[in-house]
Every structure is written in structure tokens, then in C-alpha cells.
Amino acid sequence: MQKLKTATVTWITYNNCGTFLQAYALQHVVKSFGYENKILDDAPHLIDARPIYRKVLSRLKRIFVSGTRMKEVRSCYTSFREEWLETDKDTGDLKKVSDRYDLFLCGSDQIWSPIIKPVNPYFFLYFTDKKKVAYAPSLGSTKASDEWKSCVKPLLQRFSNISVREQQGASLLSVLLGRDIQAVVDPTLLLSAEEWKPLCSDRIMPVGRKYLFCYMLSFNARYIERARKYSHRHGLEFVLMGLHREYEGLSDNVLWGGPSEFLSAVCHADAIITDSFHATVFSILFRKPFFTFQRFKANAWNNQNSRIENLLDRLSIKGRFVKDDNIDDVPPIDYSKVFPLLDKERERSLQYLSSSLKN
């Protein structure tokens, strides 16, 4: 019997560890169910609403300022994409894309975020009348404008099955669409630590050298210094992921790499401090002591804290989300209590995805 051909829309152009790893995870699971799957190249369909002068400055900075370190990082992402992701690069003509596949999925990450303007209909599968399933796209925010709602409502009404990553997003869309919307776990949580280990690069530190891994999406000097002091107090070397040029020289051990290097750093770390949703996810999967610092102020217009708070609340470890610098009095994590909750959420989410693809 011929396998059903499925295609996924999600971000795979932006170089972000979590972005690439969630794309891999969903594809891995869909294929394990017995379907063919390709991730559609989103590059031809991205909307850059920045003023022209900002686009030019960004391009010039990338060419002349980024330096060899960031080129090294881009090379790591290219290697990961070629080795671990099955993509369809011929996506310029979306009518032909629609004809090639039997079913389409919206993958995870913040492809449905109300904060991102304008709304990009590509990530709502406007171009096809084939069956459409959404697995864990994230709104990222607890609020959405009336303009966003009126724009996405007719697009979402064409989906046969919709789930999102956060409960707040599920509630918002349930009211908007007048139907039940499920909250499911991020695709990365559908896989176990053992399933992630083959994707790890070689160890970033020799065996026996204990370290704290610091992964900060936003450059925050205070948070980085807090992490450094914690590592020194606990006798750990300080390893900082090089996500920005400004990180050069902030540690004797700055890690420049992509998703595989990130996974290896988490897998072998003795503690982790981050402000990232996906670094939080992998800290949990690999059963690490971790702290997640608040990245956005509670009243900020672009507040995306709900995705982390929702995850930690589901697993009854809300205390790991640090809203100030105090991490000295936080009790250790009892993973024997966390994983039964995670296993239950994982099984429920896998059942949703499996039944959505079948029905």
C-alpha cells in the first residue's frame, strides 16, 4: 500500500536551535506513524516587513561584521539541515506543491504568533484545499488583536484538526472558532532523551570536566553574570552558547555551533541556566538541574513568557521559572514526579496527532 504523502509548513530558514529541533521531531514522529513527510522550504514565502534601510543594514552587517564565528554557526545549521531534515526545496509554485501531497500540517514554533505582523497566510496553508492538520503551533502570547482574529479566523475554519502548544492559545482559539481546540506538547517533547542522543555532536568538554551551560537568547549581561557566579560557587566551568557576537570573550568556553552542538552541551551539562523555551525542554528531557530566567517583562507588548510558564505548570515545576535573580533558595527537581506527568502529556499528544492524521 502506498504511503500517504504529507508536507509540513514551519520555520526552517531562521537559524535557531529550537526551531530546527522541533521541525525534526514532528517529521520523525509523522514518519514513525507510516507516512511520508517533507518539510516545505519556507524561504520563498517569508514576509519581511522591515523598512528597506533596516534590511540593507542587516545585510551589510551580516557580510562585513558577523565574522568567522557566525559563519561557523551558519555552517553548523546547514549541516544539520542536510543530515537530519527531509525538505522540499521546490516550493515556489504553491499550486504544484498542493498537487504533490495528500495532507498538510502546520508544525510548531510561533508561526501563528499575533505579535508577528503582517499575518502570513502561508503558515495557515491558504494555498491548498487538501486536508489540513495543525500540531502545536504557538501563539506565544495570551492576547490577540481584533485585526489578527478577523484575519486568521477564515483561514483556521478550513482546518479539520487544530491543536496549539499553550493552554492560553487553545482557549483563545476555542472562543474565536466556537470549537474545541486542544493544547498539546511541543514536538521536541514527543521524543525521549535516548531518541535525541544520536543527533548530539561530540562532547564539547572532555569527560570529567564539570560545567554549567548558559544559553541566553537575549543578551542580558546581568543574567550572564548571575550564571557565571552560580557556576563558580558550585565548582563548575562556565560554558556560554555563542548566539551573538557580543558573547565573544565573556567566557573562556564560548560554544559556537548549531542544534547538534546545543544538544550535546545540554546532554553532558551538570547544570543549565537559560531564558529559552527549548533549552528548558531539553533540560527536562535530559533530567538536568536548571533555572529559566524571565526573558520578557510581564507587561511587555511582546511578552512570550506564557509558553514557558504553561510547560512548567503542566509538569508541576513552576519554581524553575525565575522572575528575579534569586536562584539560591530554589529546591531541587524531583524528576521521579516530573516524568509521570510528562509521559501522560506525551501519550495524549501522540494520540491526538495519530488520530488527526488518520481521520
Side-chain angles (χ1 to χ4, degrees):
M1 183 177 177
Q2 189 175 10
K3 292 183 178 180
L4 201 69
K5 294 181 178 180
T6 69
T8 302
V9 296
T10 189
W11 289 333
I12 53 168
T13 294
Y14 303 120
N15 287 347
N16 175 282
C17 291
T19 295
F20 274 53
L21 294 172
Q22 64 82 20
Y24 167 83
L26 183 58
Q27 182 170 72
H28 179 85
V29 172
V30 171
K31 290 168 66 178
S32 76
F33 288 157
Y35 302 94
E36 292 184 13
N37 182 263
K38 293 288 183 68
I39 302 169
L40 301 181
D41 184 5
D42 59 334
H45 309 290
L46 297 176
I47 298 174
D48 190 344
R50 294 176 300 173
I52 293 177
Y53 79 92
R54 289 191 62 187
K55 297 178 187 178
V56 172
L57 287 174
S58 178
R59 179 64 178 164
L60 291 174
K61 181 179 178 181
R62 180 169 178 173
I63 294 173
F64 296 109
V65 182
S66 63
T68 57
R69 289 299 193 185
M70 298 314 295
K71 290 178 183 177
E72 181 181 337
V73 170
R74 289 195 291 271
S75 176
C76 290
Y77 277 94
T78 299
S79 297
F80 183 92
R81 179 170 174 162
E82 292 175 351
E83 181 174 1
W84 295 107
L85 301 181
E86 287 193 46
T87 63
D88 183 346
K89 297 180 181 179
D90 184 17
T91 63
D93 187 331
L94 289 174
K95 183 181 184 306
K96 291 181 179 179
V97 172
S98 178
D99 292 339
R100 281 202 295 273
Y101 297 97
D102 304 305
L103 181 151
F104 288 83
L105 295 103
C106 281
S108 192
D109 228 331
Q110 296 185 69
I111 58 172
W112 288 2
S113 172
I115 296 171
I116 300 173
K117 298 179 181 180
V119 170
N120 188 338
Y122 169 79
F123 291 107
F124 293 83
L125 296 170
Y126 81 97
F127 56 85
T128 183
D129 291 324
K130 301 284 183 67
K131 180 177 177 178
K132 291 175 278 292
V133 172
Y135 183 83
S138 171
L139 276 66
S141 174
T142 58
K143 300 177 182 178
S145 67
D146 291 339
E147 179 185 8
W148 182 87
K149 292 177 184 178
S150 64
C151 186
V152 304
K153 183 175 181 178
L155 295 169
L156 293 174
Q157 287 173 328
R158 301 171 67 230
F159 279 73
S160 59
N161 300 82
I162 298 176
S163 66
V164 292
R165 199 170 67 185
E166 294 87 26
Q167 185 57 54
Q168 296 91 331
S171 299
L172 190 155
L173 292 187
S174 292
V175 172
L176 178 65
L177 300 175
R179 58 192 273 198
D180 181 50
I181 305 296
Q182 289 199 41
V184 293
V185 299
D186 186 83
T188 52
L189 286 164
L190 297 177
L191 277 60
S192 68
E194 290 303 313
E195 291 175 289
W196 282 113
K197 285 181 179 179
L199 281 70
C200 292
S201 68
D202 293 338
R203 292 183 68 109
I204 64 165
M205 298 285 275
V207 176
R209 289 177 62 178
K210 296 185 176 183
Y211 65 91
L212 177 142
F213 179 48
C214 182
Y215 184 87
M216 291 291 176
L217 289 174
S218 296
F219 180 74
N220 187 313
R222 191 178 87 249
Y223 283 174
I224 292 172
E225 184 58 27
R226 189 70 185 86
R228 189 200 314 277
K229 288 181 179 178
Y230 182 91
S231 68
H232 289 170
R233 190 165 63 253
H234 291 269
L236 304 173
E237 295 192 56
F238 182 62
V239 176
L240 176 65
M241 188 87 180
L243 300 179
H244 305 280
R245 288 182 62 253
E246 292 82 0
Y247 288 177
E248 184 82 68
L250 290 182
S251 170
D252 293 335
N253 302 296
V254 178
L255 173 63
W256 303 96
S260 291
E261 291 74 21
F262 162 81
L263 280 177
S264 179
V266 174
C267 177
H268 299 110
D270 295 276
I272 295 161
I273 291 181
T274 186
D275 65 354
S276 154
F277 173 82
H278 281 106
T280 301
V281 164
F282 285 101
S283 298
I284 294 168
L285 286 174
F286 287 107
R287 299 174 183 250
K288 301 296 180 178
F290 74 91
F291 302 96
T292 302
F293 284 167
Q294 178 176 281
R295 186 178 170 201
F296 301 94
K297 293 182 179 179
N299 59 352
W301 68 271
N302 62 340
N303 181 1
Q304 299 167 24
N305 295 328
S306 65
R307 52 195 178 140
I308 295 174
E309 292 176 305
N310 186 254
L311 170 65
L312 299 181
D313 185 43
R314 286 192 208 181
L315 301 180
S316 296
I317 47 175
K318 290 189 292 184
R320 312 317 291 186
F321 188 58
V322 182
K323 298 183 180 181
D324 54 36
D325 288 357
N326 183 21
I327 56 178
D328 296 318
D329 300 323
V330 180
I333 303 169
D334 184 352
Y335 277 113
S336 68
K337 295 181 179 179
V338 171
F339 269 78
L341 298 174
L342 175 56
D343 291 341
K344 183 178 179 181
E345 290 291 321
R346 177 186 288 147
E347 182 60 31
R348 182 180 62 80
S349 299
L350 285 168
Q351 287 179 356
Y352 163 83
L353 180 57
S354 177
S355 63
S356 296
L357 294 174
K358 288 178 182 177
N359 295 335

